[in-house]
Amino acid sequence: MIKHILILLFIWFMDISVIGQTTAVDSLENVINALPNDTSKVNQLNRLADKLLFSNPQNGYKILQSSIEIAEQINYSYGLSVAYGLEGNLLFYQMKLDSCKLLIDKAYGLIKGNNDRLSKTQQGLLKNRYAAIYQQRQKYDSAVQLYLEAAAVFTELKDESKLIYSFYNLSGIYNFLQDSAKAIFYARETRRIASKTNDSVFIVRSLIALGDAFVSLKEYDSVKMISKEGLSLANKSNLTFAIGKFHSLLGIYYAESAIRYDTALFHFNAALASYNKINTRYDIALVLQHIGSTYLKMNDYVKAIKYSKQAITLSKEVGLDQVQRLSLFDLVKAEEKLGLLNESFGHLKEYVEVNDSVQIRNNRKMADELETKYQTQKKEALLLVQQKTIQQQNLLNYLLAASVMGILIIFFLSYRTYRQKQKLQQQRVNELETEKKLLATEAVLKGEEQERTRLAKDLHDGLGGMLSGIKYSLNTMKGNLVMTADNSKSFERSMDMLDSSIKEMRRVAHNMMPEALVKFGLDTALKDFCNDINQTGVLQVMYQSINLENIAIDQTVS
């Protein structure tokens, strides 16, 4: 018993980073094999296999078979589900999608309906793998739906780290669909969550998502920076797939931005070597397409044809129409440059057929999914009708009556709301009209005030000045002229009339715009006005104001 506990403690504290070395892996495997055949041993074998699947897939597969055999012997459904799921992952990356789905079906069936935390986590992970299968088959609507369902499971469990699997793949789908905004959003969410975990595998995965998103955005400097950081982490943890991915991203940077084709080919070939180790055929085909495209840019048409044909052959085997279409496009151009017009024309027709088939399949995909959803809903509805009882039918009638009442209430409330809105709108229109009239009146008053000010100024400064000048000139002339008594009287009457005219002009100017109002304000102007009335003798007015001299009043209001 003590020996058993010591072995478990050894496994718990052992640094998993040493599994990149063959001797360390063998040592750990031997320690696990020494355990009795129980659930703990199955779990340890599954964890070890998970770490090895993308660095040493052959050994990882062998360990999974041991785990499956023990789990079946002890009837450990959860452990068996995990092992089937991991084996399905391995087949997925080898593009054996049908075999992968069979294993995922087995895995899901073993824990379906279980509500414990481990089983629900496994359900979410398997939903992710179903979604990935749909993604590879270009059924993006179904893939997105399943990724989001998986994310909902992990959110319910408050296990944010598992969201990385869903968000990572959602970013990839939106990259392909050229929805850069959503692609970079999910990539950054992946990076945010991974940074919290401090798990190097999660961090590497998040950097891959960001790298792909920045390629889609053509922000190649960011691609270079992210790829160098990711490659360093991937090498430390011996993550073969990630090493290949970051080399591929660096190849894209040097081919598309730095225009250093030899360096690009170096990285593409390094990526190809990594992918060949773990036989990820999708990524192999994609790198072959990149190599062919790079040789085409270098005007090395012979090698461009060679690698494009390899990419086309592998793409046909695994059903990758998108990669096949890109490689056919490069092949057509390379053959045309070499003067192989017949071959170029033949591949051009093949390109058009593949391109059309992709479009047609996508249309059929949408129709098939809608049809599947419709048929499923129809069957569920028929089953529900068959299970109805008289009691349920009565309940349905009650619900129907309640629905009618609800609709009537909603209609009444809607109509009342509509009438209220009409009243408010009419009130607003009236307010706007009143406001418009007030503005027009204010403009007229302001115009009148300005005109009266101008006229008063012209009378006082212009005409008043002229009349005063004339009076001065006449007074000067009087002293220099010899006039008869009659002429002197006539001259004096003229001067009196001139004085009267000056006074009248000043009175008119003052009434139009009192000078005291402009210079000293309303209070002083009102005092002067009352004094003027008193001087007429017609009426006696007493003027009194309270604090008016201390209030600043706008001139227009005054």
Side-chain angles (χ1 to χ4, degrees):
M1 183 65 178
I2 294 174
K3 180 181 176 182
H4 185 190
I5 294 172
L6 288 174
I7 291 172
L8 286 174
L9 288 173
F10 173 75
I11 293 168
W12 181 261
F13 289 106
M14 188 169 185
D15 185 354
I16 199 65
S17 63
V18 299
I19 67 171
Q21 303 173 8
T22 305
T23 54
V25 171
D26 292 341
S27 175
L28 182 56
E29 187 178 353
N30 290 334
V31 170
I32 296 173
N33 285 331
L35 293 170
N37 290 344
D38 57 12
T39 59
S40 176
K41 183 174 182 177
V42 173
N43 292 337
Q44 296 297 338
L45 288 171
N46 286 340
R47 290 193 192 101
L48 181 57
D50 188 21
K51 296 291 184 182
L52 290 173
L53 281 181
F54 300 111
S55 58
N56 189 348
Q58 291 82 8
N59 198 19
Y61 178 77
K62 183 187 76 173
I63 293 170
L64 278 178
Q65 298 311 304
S66 298
S67 174
I68 290 171
E69 182 179 350
I70 296 170
E72 288 177 339
Q73 287 176 2
I74 64 175
N75 196 27
Y76 182 30
S77 298
Y78 170 75
L80 187 59
S81 173
V82 172
Y84 281 145
L86 291 172
E87 187 178 354
N89 289 350
L90 184 61
L91 293 174
F92 173 83
Y93 284 103
Q94 294 173 358
M95 291 302 292
K96 298 176 181 178
L97 300 182
D98 290 336
S99 299
C100 170
K101 186 175 184 303
L102 288 174
L103 283 170
I104 301 302
D105 287 341
K106 279 186 178 181
Y108 198 84
L110 288 165
I111 46 88
K112 183 179 180 182
N114 295 348
N115 290 319
D116 61 283
R117 185 176 181 83
L118 286 176
S119 295
K120 294 197 79 171
T121 300
Q122 177 67 356
Q123 289 166 20
L125 294 172
L126 293 174
K127 280 179 181 289
N128 271 330
R129 184 53 59 207
Y130 277 125
I133 294 171
Y134 281 121
Q135 183 178 350
Q136 288 295 342
R137 287 174 170 166
Q138 302 173 50
K139 296 183 177 181
Y140 298 113
D141 290 347
S142 298
V144 168
Q145 180 180 343
L146 282 166
Y147 281 134
L148 292 174
E149 287 180 10
V153 171
F154 299 136
T155 301
E156 180 186 350
L157 294 173
K158 297 182 180 179
D159 188 354
E160 195 175 41
S161 64
K162 297 293 191 303
L163 289 172
I164 290 174
Y165 300 117
S166 301
F167 290 169
Y168 169 85
N169 289 293
L170 284 168
S171 177
I173 288 178
Y174 287 118
N175 271 324
F176 179 79
L177 295 176
Q178 299 179 338
D179 189 340
S180 301
K182 288 184 180 178
I184 197 68
F185 168 78
Y186 282 111
R188 284 175 173 157
E189 280 294 286
T190 304
R191 177 62 171 160
R192 178 185 65 79
I193 298 168
S195 298
K196 289 183 179 180
T197 66
N198 286 325
D199 186 310
S200 60
V201 175
F202 285 155
I203 291 172
V204 165
R205 186 180 287 264
S206 71
L207 290 172
I208 291 173
L210 278 174
D212 284 335
F214 281 122
V215 166
S216 178
L217 291 169
K218 298 184 179 179
E219 295 184 13
Y220 295 112
D221 289 339
S222 298
V223 173
K224 178 185 178 184
M225 179 183 67
I226 288 168
S227 299
K228 285 186 175 295
E229 180 186 354
L231 188 58
S232 175
L233 288 172
N235 280 322
K236 287 179 184 177
S237 300
N238 194 28
L239 302 172
T240 307
F241 172 77
I243 291 169
K245 186 65 181 179
F246 289 121
H247 273 300
S248 179
L249 288 170
L250 283 169
I252 293 171
Y253 164 75
Y254 285 110
E256 300 295 335
S257 178
I259 316 301
R260 290 166 54 185
Y261 297 125
D262 289 339
T263 307
L265 288 172
F266 166 79
H267 285 290
F268 284 138
N269 283 309
L272 191 61
S274 295
Y275 292 147
N276 280 326
K277 285 182 184 178
I278 54 178
N279 194 28
T280 53
R281 303 176 75 193
Y282 169 82
D283 301 286
I284 292 171
L286 192 55
V287 170
L288 289 172
Q289 186 272 320
H290 283 310
I291 293 173
S293 179
T294 303
Y295 276 122
L296 181 62
K297 292 173 182 174
M298 297 171 68
N299 299 326
D300 188 340
Y301 303 120
V302 174
K303 288 185 178 178
I305 291 172
K306 172 186 172 183
Y307 284 98
S308 294
K309 284 185 175 179
Q310 289 181 17
I312 291 167
T313 300
L314 185 55
S315 298
K316 287 180 178 178
E317 290 177 6
V318 295
L320 297 173
D321 288 351
Q322 296 296 339
V323 178
Q324 185 182 350
R325 179 168 58 174
L326 293 171
S327 296
L328 281 169
F329 187 76
D330 292 338
L331 183 59
V332 168
K333 289 196 288 187
E335 289 174 336
E336 181 185 1
K337 293 292 184 181
L338 287 178
L340 305 174
L341 299 182
N342 288 335
E343 291 87 342
S344 178
F345 181 70
H347 286 121
L348 178 61
K349 290 197 296 183
E350 189 176 352
Y351 167 79
V352 172
E353 290 174 0
V354 171
N355 188 59
D356 289 345
S357 70
V358 169
Q359 299 299 328
I360 292 170
R361 186 182 63 251
N362 286 342
N363 291 335
R364 286 177 178 171
K365 166 184 69 70
M366 294 174 66
D368 290 342
E369 288 176 359
L370 290 172
E371 177 65 14
T372 300
K373 291 177 183 178
Y374 170 75
Q375 291 296 343
T376 301
Q377 292 172 353
K378 186 177 179 181
K379 288 178 182 178
E380 290 175 353
L382 288 172
L383 288 173
L384 189 61
V385 169
Q386 291 172 358
Q387 294 171 358
K388 291 293 183 184
T389 61
I390 296 174
Q391 212 171 20
Q392 290 172 324
Q393 289 175 354
N394 291 335
L395 179 60
L396 183 62
N397 291 335
Y398 292 139
L399 289 173
L400 183 60
S403 299
V404 171
M405 289 297 296
I407 291 171
L408 290 174
I409 292 170
I410 291 170
F411 176 81
F412 171 76
L413 292 174
S414 299
Y415 178 76
R416 192 175 68 173
T417 302
Y418 169 76
R419 293 293 300 168
Q420 186 65 26
K421 284 182 178 179
Q422 275 193 325
K423 289 179 181 179
L424 290 173
Q425 288 174 352
Q426 186 60 45
Q427 183 179 346
R428 180 59 180 160
V429 169
N430 293 338
E431 289 174 356
L432 290 172
E433 288 178 353
T434 303
E435 184 179 349
K436 185 177 179 182
K437 289 176 181 178
L438 289 172
L439 289 172
T441 303
E442 183 181 354
V444 170
L445 291 173
K446 191 169 184 179
E448 287 179 357
E449 176 200 351
Q450 291 173 348
E451 186 64 17
R452 289 169 65 185
T453 301
R454 184 186 66 79
L455 288 173
K457 186 176 181 182
D458 288 345
L459 286 172
H460 187 275
D461 296 342
L463 184 57
M466 289 174 63
L467 292 174
S468 297
I470 292 169
K471 179 180 177 182
Y472 178 79
S473 297
L474 291 173
N475 282 328
T476 303
M477 290 171 61
K478 179 181 178 183
N480 298 326
L481 293 175
V482 178
M483 294 184 291
T484 63
D486 292 335
N487 288 337
S488 178
K489 289 180 180 179
S490 182
F491 185 88
E492 289 298 328
R493 281 198 303 273
S494 297
M495 291 296 287
D496 291 338
M497 291 173 65
L498 186 57
D499 285 335
S500 297
S501 297
I502 290 172
K503 288 180 181 180
E504 181 64 15
M505 179 276 300
R506 286 178 177 170
R507 186 187 67 77
V508 171
H510 181 77
N511 287 338
M512 291 185 70
M513 182 55 65
E515 187 176 5
L517 180 64
V518 176
K519 291 183 177 180
F520 305 106
L522 180 61
D523 189 50
T524 303
L526 288 172
K527 286 179 183 177
D528 289 347
F529 179 71
C530 291
N531 289 335
D532 289 343
I533 294 174
N534 291 337
Q535 288 175 7
T536 63
V538 177
L539 187 66
Q540 289 299 311
V541 179
M542 182 178 70
Y543 174 80
Q544 182 181 9
S545 64
I546 301 173
N547 294 329
L548 188 60
E549 67 275 15
N550 298 323
I551 299 175
I553 302 176
D554 180 76
Q555 187 173 342
T556 303
V557 177
S558 297

Coordinates of all heavy atoms in Angstrom, one line a residue, residues 331-390:
L331 N -0.1 26.2 -60.4 CA 0.3 25.2 -61.5 C 0.0 25.8 -62.8 O 0.8 25.7 -63.8 CB -0.3 23.9 -61.3 CG 0.1 22.8 -62.2 CD1 1.6 22.5 -62.2 CD2 -0.7 21.5 -61.9
V332 N -1.2 26.3 -63.0 CA -1.6 26.9 -64.3 C -0.6 28.0 -64.7 O -0.1 28.1 -65.9 CB -3.0 27.5 -64.2 CG1 -3.4 28.3 -65.4 CG2 -4.0 26.3 -64.1
K333 N -0.2 28.9 -63.8 CA 0.6 30.0 -64.1 C 2.1 29.5 -64.4 O 2.7 30.0 -65.4 CB 0.7 31.0 -62.9 CG -0.6 31.8 -62.8 CD -0.4 33.0 -61.9 CE -0.2 32.6 -60.5 NZ -0.2 33.8 -59.6
A334 N 2.6 28.5 -63.7 CA 3.9 28.0 -63.9 C 4.0 27.3 -65.3 O 5.0 27.5 -66.0 CB 4.3 27.0 -62.8
E335 N 3.0 26.5 -65.6 CA 3.0 25.8 -66.9 C 2.9 26.8 -68.1 O 3.5 26.6 -69.1 CB 1.9 24.8 -66.9 CG 2.2 23.6 -66.0 CD 1.0 22.6 -66.0 OE1 -0.2 23.1 -66.2 OE2 1.2 21.5 -65.7
E336 N 2.1 27.9 -67.8 CA 2.0 28.9 -68.9 C 3.3 29.6 -69.1 O 3.7 29.8 -70.3 CB 1.0 29.9 -68.5 CG 0.7 31.0 -69.5 CD -0.2 32.1 -69.0 OE1 -0.7 32.0 -67.9 OE2 -0.5 33.0 -69.8
K337 N 4.1 29.9 -68.0 CA 5.4 30.5 -68.2 C 6.4 29.6 -68.9 O 7.3 30.1 -69.6 CB 5.9 30.9 -66.8 CG 5.2 31.9 -66.0 CD 5.3 33.3 -66.7 CE 4.6 34.4 -65.9 NZ 4.7 35.7 -66.6
L338 N 6.3 28.3 -68.7 CA 7.2 27.4 -69.4 C 6.7 27.1 -70.8 O 7.4 26.3 -71.6 CB 7.3 26.1 -68.6 CG 8.2 26.2 -67.3 CD1 8.2 24.8 -66.6 CD2 9.6 26.6 -67.6
G339 N 5.6 27.6 -71.3 CA 5.1 27.4 -72.6 C 4.3 26.1 -72.7 O 4.0 25.7 -73.9
L340 N 4.0 25.5 -71.6 CA 3.2 24.2 -71.6 C 1.7 24.5 -71.7 O 1.0 24.4 -70.7 CB 3.6 23.4 -70.4 CG 5.1 23.0 -70.2 CD1 5.3 22.3 -68.9 CD2 5.6 22.2 -71.3
L341 N 1.3 25.1 -72.8 CA 0.0 25.6 -72.9 C -1.1 24.6 -72.8 O -2.2 24.9 -72.2 CB -0.1 26.4 -74.2 CG 0.8 27.6 -74.4 CD1 0.6 28.3 -75.7 CD2 0.7 28.6 -73.2
N342 N -0.9 23.4 -73.4 CA -1.9 22.4 -73.3 C -2.1 21.9 -71.9 O -3.3 21.8 -71.4 CB -1.5 21.2 -74.2 CG -1.6 21.5 -75.7 OD1 -2.4 22.3 -76.1 ND2 -0.9 20.8 -76.5
E343 N -1.0 21.7 -71.2 CA -1.1 21.3 -69.8 C -1.7 22.4 -68.9 O -2.6 22.1 -68.1 CB 0.3 20.9 -69.2 CG 0.9 19.7 -69.8 CD 1.7 19.9 -71.1 OE1 1.4 21.0 -71.7 OE2 2.5 19.1 -71.5
S344 N -1.3 23.6 -69.2 CA -1.9 24.8 -68.5 C -3.4 24.9 -68.7 O -4.1 25.1 -67.7 CB -1.2 26.0 -68.9 OG -1.7 27.2 -68.2
F345 N -3.8 24.7 -69.9 CA -5.2 24.8 -70.2 C -6.0 23.7 -69.5 O -7.1 23.9 -69.0 CB -5.5 24.8 -71.7 CG -6.9 24.9 -72.1 CD1 -7.6 26.1 -72.0 CD2 -7.6 23.8 -72.6 CE1 -8.9 26.2 -72.3 CE2 -9.0 23.9 -72.9 CZ -9.6 25.1 -72.8
G346 N -5.4 22.5 -69.5 CA -6.1 21.4 -68.9 C -6.2 21.6 -67.4 O -7.3 21.3 -66.8
H347 N -5.2 22.1 -66.8 CA -5.3 22.4 -65.3 C -6.1 23.6 -65.0 O -6.7 23.7 -63.9 CB -3.9 22.6 -64.7 CG -3.1 21.3 -64.6 ND1 -1.8 21.1 -65.3 CD2 -3.3 20.2 -64.0 CE1 -1.4 19.9 -65.0 NE2 -2.3 19.3 -64.2
L348 N -6.2 24.5 -66.0 CA -7.1 25.6 -65.8 C -8.6 25.1 -65.7 O -9.4 25.6 -64.9 CB -7.0 26.6 -66.9 CG -7.9 27.9 -66.9 CD1 -7.7 28.7 -65.6 CD2 -7.7 28.8 -68.1
K349 N -8.9 24.2 -66.6 CA -10.3 23.6 -66.6 C -10.5 22.9 -65.3 O -11.6 23.0 -64.7 CB -10.5 22.7 -67.8 CG -10.6 23.4 -69.1 CD -11.2 22.5 -70.2 CE -10.3 21.2 -70.4 NZ -10.8 20.4 -71.5
E350 N -9.5 22.2 -64.8 CA -9.6 21.5 -63.5 C -9.8 22.5 -62.4 O -10.6 22.3 -61.4 CB -8.4 20.6 -63.3 CG -8.5 19.7 -62.1 CD -7.3 18.8 -61.9 OE1 -6.4 18.8 -62.8 OE2 -7.2 18.1 -60.9
Y351 N -9.1 23.6 -62.4 CA -9.2 24.6 -61.4 C -10.6 25.2 -61.4 O -11.2 25.4 -60.3 CB -8.2 25.8 -61.7 CG -8.5 27.0 -60.9 CD1 -8.1 27.1 -59.6 CD2 -9.2 28.1 -61.5 CE1 -8.4 28.3 -58.8 CE2 -9.4 29.3 -60.7 CZ -9.0 29.3 -59.4 OH -9.3 30.5 -58.7
V352 N -11.2 25.5 -62.6 CA -12.5 26.0 -62.6 C -13.5 25.0 -62.1 O -14.5 25.4 -61.3 CB -12.9 26.3 -64.1 CG1 -14.4 26.7 -64.2 CG2 -12.0 27.5 -64.6
E353 N -13.3 23.7 -62.4 CA -14.3 22.7 -61.9 C -14.2 22.6 -60.3 O -15.2 22.5 -59.6 CB -13.9 21.3 -62.5 CG -14.2 21.2 -63.9 CD -13.7 19.9 -64.5 OE1 -13.1 19.1 -63.8 OE2 -13.9 19.7 -65.8
V354 N -12.9 22.6 -59.8 CA -12.8 22.6 -58.3 C -13.4 23.8 -57.7 O -14.1 23.7 -56.7 CB -11.3 22.5 -57.9 CG1 -11.1 22.6 -56.4 CG2 -10.7 21.1 -58.4
N355 N -13.1 25.0 -58.3 CA -13.7 26.2 -57.7 C -15.2 26.2 -57.7 O -15.9 26.5 -56.8 CB -13.2 27.4 -58.5 CG -13.5 28.7 -57.9 OD1 -13.2 29.0 -56.8 ND2 -14.3 29.5 -58.7
D356 N -15.8 25.7 -58.9 CA -17.3 25.6 -58.9 C -17.8 24.6 -58.0 O -18.9 24.8 -57.3 CB -17.7 25.2 -60.4 CG -17.5 26.4 -61.4 OD1 -17.3 27.5 -60.9 OD2 -17.5 26.1 -62.6
S357 N -17.1 23.5 -57.8 CA -17.6 22.4 -56.9 C -17.6 22.9 -55.5 O -18.5 22.6 -54.7 CB -16.8 21.2 -57.0 OG -15.5 21.4 -56.5
V358 N -16.6 23.7 -55.1 CA -16.5 24.3 -53.8 C -17.8 25.2 -53.5 O -18.4 25.1 -52.5 CB -15.2 25.1 -53.6 CG1 -15.3 25.9 -52.3 CG2 -14.1 24.2 -53.5
Q359 N -18.1 26.0 -54.5 CA -19.2 26.9 -54.4 C -20.5 26.2 -54.3 O -21.4 26.4 -53.5 CB -19.3 27.9 -55.6 CG -18.0 28.8 -55.7 CD -17.8 29.7 -54.5 OE1 -18.8 30.1 -53.8 NE2 -16.6 29.9 -54.1
I360 N -20.6 25.2 -55.2 CA -21.9 24.4 -55.2 C -22.0 23.6 -53.9 O -23.1 23.5 -53.3 CB -21.9 23.4 -56.4 CG1 -22.0 24.2 -57.7 CG2 -23.0 22.4 -56.3 CD1 -21.7 23.4 -59.0
R361 N -20.9 23.0 -53.5 CA -21.0 22.2 -52.2 C -21.4 23.1 -51.1 O -22.1 22.7 -50.2 CB -19.7 21.5 -52.0 CG -19.8 20.6 -50.8 CD -18.4 19.9 -50.4 NE -17.4 20.8 -50.0 CZ -16.4 21.2 -50.8 NH1 -16.2 20.6 -52.0 NH2 -15.5 22.1 -50.4
N362 N -20.8 24.3 -51.0 CA -21.2 25.2 -50.0 C -22.6 25.5 -50.0 O -23.3 25.6 -48.9 CB -20.3 26.5 -50.1 CG -18.9 26.3 -49.7 OD1 -18.6 25.3 -49.0 ND2 -18.0 27.2 -50.1
N363 N -23.2 25.7 -51.2 CA -24.6 26.0 -51.3 C -25.4 24.7 -50.8 O -26.4 24.9 -50.1 CB -25.0 26.3 -52.7 CG -24.5 27.7 -53.1 OD1 -24.2 28.5 -52.2 ND2 -24.3 27.9 -54.4
R364 N -25.0 23.6 -51.3 CA -25.6 22.3 -50.8 C -25.5 22.1 -49.3 O -26.4 21.6 -48.7 CB -25.0 21.1 -51.6 CG -25.5 21.0 -53.0 CD -24.8 19.9 -53.7 NE -25.2 19.8 -55.1 CZ -24.7 18.9 -56.0 NH1 -23.7 18.2 -55.6 NH2 -25.1 18.9 -57.2
K365 N -24.3 22.5 -48.8 CA -24.1 22.4 -47.4 C -25.2 23.1 -46.6 O -25.8 22.6 -45.7 CB -22.7 22.9 -47.0 CG -22.5 23.2 -45.6 CD -21.2 23.8 -45.3 CE -21.1 25.2 -45.8 NZ -21.9 26.1 -45.0
M366 N -25.4 24.3 -47.0 CA -26.4 25.1 -46.3 C -27.8 24.5 -46.4 O -28.5 24.4 -45.4 CB -26.4 26.5 -46.9 CG -25.1 27.3 -46.6 SD -25.1 28.9 -47.4 CE -26.5 29.7 -46.5
A367 N -28.1 24.0 -47.6 CA -29.4 23.4 -47.8 C -29.6 22.1 -47.0 O -30.6 21.9 -46.4 CB -29.6 23.1 -49.3
D368 N -28.5 21.3 -47.1 CA -28.5 20.0 -46.3 C -28.7 20.3 -44.8 O -29.5 19.5 -44.2 CB -27.2 19.2 -46.6 CG -27.2 18.7 -48.0 OD1 -28.2 18.7 -48.7 OD2 -26.1 18.4 -48.5
E369 N -28.0 21.2 -44.3 CA -28.1 21.5 -42.9 C -29.5 22.0 -42.5 O -30.1 21.6 -41.5 CB -27.0 22.5 -42.5 CG -25.6 22.0 -42.5 CD -24.6 23.0 -42.2 OE1 -25.0 24.2 -42.0 OE2 -23.4 22.7 -42.1
L370 N -30.0 22.9 -43.3 CA -31.4 23.3 -43.1 C -32.4 22.2 -43.2 O -33.3 22.1 -42.4 CB -31.8 24.5 -44.1 CG -31.0 25.8 -43.9 CD1 -31.3 26.7 -45.0 CD2 -31.4 26.4 -42.6
E371 N -32.2 21.3 -44.2 CA -33.1 20.2 -44.3 C -33.0 19.3 -43.1 O -34.0 18.8 -42.6 CB -32.8 19.4 -45.6 CG -33.6 18.2 -45.8 CD -35.1 18.5 -46.0 OE1 -35.4 19.6 -46.3 OE2 -35.9 17.5 -46.0
T372 N -31.7 19.0 -42.7 CA -31.5 18.1 -41.5 C -32.2 18.7 -40.3 O -32.9 18.0 -39.5 CB -30.0 18.0 -41.2 OG1 -29.4 17.4 -42.4 CG2 -29.8 17.1 -40.0
K373 N -32.0 20.0 -40.1 CA -32.7 20.7 -38.9 C -34.2 20.6 -39.0 O -34.9 20.3 -38.0 CB -32.2 22.1 -38.8 CG -30.8 22.3 -38.4 CD -30.4 23.8 -38.5 CE -29.0 24.0 -38.2 NZ -28.6 25.4 -38.2
Y374 N -34.7 20.8 -40.2 CA -36.1 20.7 -40.4 C -36.7 19.3 -40.1 O -37.7 19.2 -39.4 CB -36.5 21.1 -41.9 CG -37.9 20.9 -42.2 CD1 -38.9 21.7 -41.7 CD2 -38.3 19.8 -43.0 CE1 -40.3 21.5 -42.1 CE2 -39.6 19.6 -43.3 CZ -40.6 20.4 -42.9 OH -41.9 20.1 -43.2
Q375 N -36.0 18.3 -40.7 CA -36.5 16.9 -40.5 C -36.4 16.5 -39.0 O -37.3 15.9 -38.5 CB -35.6 16.0 -41.3 CG -35.9 16.1 -42.8 CD -37.3 15.8 -43.3 OE1 -38.0 15.1 -42.5 NE2 -37.7 16.2 -44.5
T376 N -35.4 17.0 -38.3 CA -35.2 16.7 -36.9 C -36.4 17.3 -36.1 O -37.0 16.6 -35.3 CB -33.9 17.2 -36.4 OG1 -32.8 16.5 -37.1 CG2 -33.7 16.8 -34.9
Q377 N -36.6 18.6 -36.4 CA -37.7 19.2 -35.7 C -39.1 18.6 -36.0 O -39.9 18.5 -35.2 CB -37.8 20.7 -36.1 CG -36.5 21.5 -35.6 CD -36.5 22.9 -36.1 OE1 -37.3 23.3 -37.0 NE2 -35.5 23.7 -35.6
K378 N -39.2 18.1 -37.3 CA -40.5 17.5 -37.7 C -40.7 16.2 -36.9 O -41.8 15.9 -36.4 CB -40.5 17.3 -39.2 CG -41.8 16.8 -39.7 CD -41.7 16.6 -41.3 CE -43.0 16.1 -41.8 NZ -42.9 15.9 -43.3
K379 N -39.6 15.4 -36.8 CA -39.8 14.1 -36.1 C -40.1 14.3 -34.6 O -40.9 13.7 -34.0 CB -38.5 13.3 -36.3 CG -38.3 12.7 -37.7 CD -37.0 12.0 -37.7 CE -36.7 11.5 -39.2 NZ -35.4 10.8 -39.3
E380 N -39.4 15.3 -34.0 CA -39.6 15.6 -32.6 C -41.1 16.1 -32.4 O -41.7 15.7 -31.4 CB -38.7 16.7 -32.2 CG -37.2 16.2 -32.1 CD -36.3 17.3 -31.7 OE1 -36.7 18.5 -31.7 OE2 -35.1 17.0 -31.4
A381 N -41.6 16.9 -33.4 CA -43.0 17.3 -33.2 C -44.0 16.2 -33.3 O -44.9 16.1 -32.6 CB -43.3 18.4 -34.3
L382 N -43.7 15.2 -34.3 CA -44.6 14.1 -34.4 C -44.6 13.2 -33.2 O -45.6 12.7 -32.7 CB -44.2 13.2 -35.6 CG -44.5 13.8 -37.0 CD1 -43.8 13.0 -38.1 CD2 -46.0 14.0 -37.2
L383 N -43.4 13.0 -32.6 CA -43.3 12.2 -31.4 C -44.0 12.9 -30.2 O -44.7 12.2 -29.4 CB -41.8 12.0 -31.0 CG -41.0 11.1 -31.9 CD1 -39.6 11.1 -31.5 CD2 -41.6 9.6 -31.7
L384 N -43.9 14.2 -30.2 CA -44.6 15.0 -29.1 C -46.1 14.8 -29.2 O -46.8 14.7 -28.3 CB -44.2 16.4 -29.2 CG -44.6 17.3 -28.0 CD1 -44.0 16.8 -26.7 CD2 -44.2 18.7 -28.3
V385 N -46.6 14.9 -30.5 CA -48.1 14.8 -30.7 C -48.6 13.4 -30.3 O -49.6 13.3 -29.7 CB -48.4 15.1 -32.2 CG1 -49.8 14.7 -32.5 CG2 -48.1 16.5 -32.6
Q386 N -47.8 12.4 -30.6 CA -48.2 11.0 -30.3 C -48.3 10.8 -28.8 O -49.0 10.0 -28.3 CB -47.2 10.0 -30.9 CG -47.3 9.9 -32.4 CD -46.2 9.1 -33.0 OE1 -45.3 8.6 -32.3 NE2 -46.2 8.9 -34.3
Q387 N -47.4 11.6 -28.0 CA -47.4 11.4 -26.6 C -48.4 12.3 -25.8 O -48.5 12.2 -24.6 CB -46.0 11.7 -26.1 CG -44.9 10.7 -26.6 CD -43.5 11.2 -26.2 OE1 -43.3 12.2 -25.7 NE2 -42.6 10.3 -26.6
K388 N -49.1 13.1 -26.6 CA -50.1 14.0 -26.0 C -51.3 13.2 -25.4 O -51.8 12.3 -26.0 CB -50.6 15.0 -27.0 CG -49.6 16.1 -27.4 CD -49.2 16.9 -26.2 CE -48.2 18.0 -26.7 NZ -47.8 18.8 -25.6
T389 N -51.7 13.6 -24.3 CA -52.9 13.0 -23.7 C -54.1 14.1 -23.7 O -53.9 15.2 -24.1 CB -52.7 12.7 -22.2 OG1 -52.3 13.9 -21.5 CG2 -51.6 11.6 -22.1
I390 N -55.3 13.6 -23.3 CA -56.4 14.5 -23.3 C -56.2 15.7 -22.4 O -56.5 16.8 -22.6 CB -57.7 13.7 -22.9 CG1 -58.0 12.7 -23.9 CG2 -58.9 14.7 -22.7 CD1 -59.2 11.8 -23.6

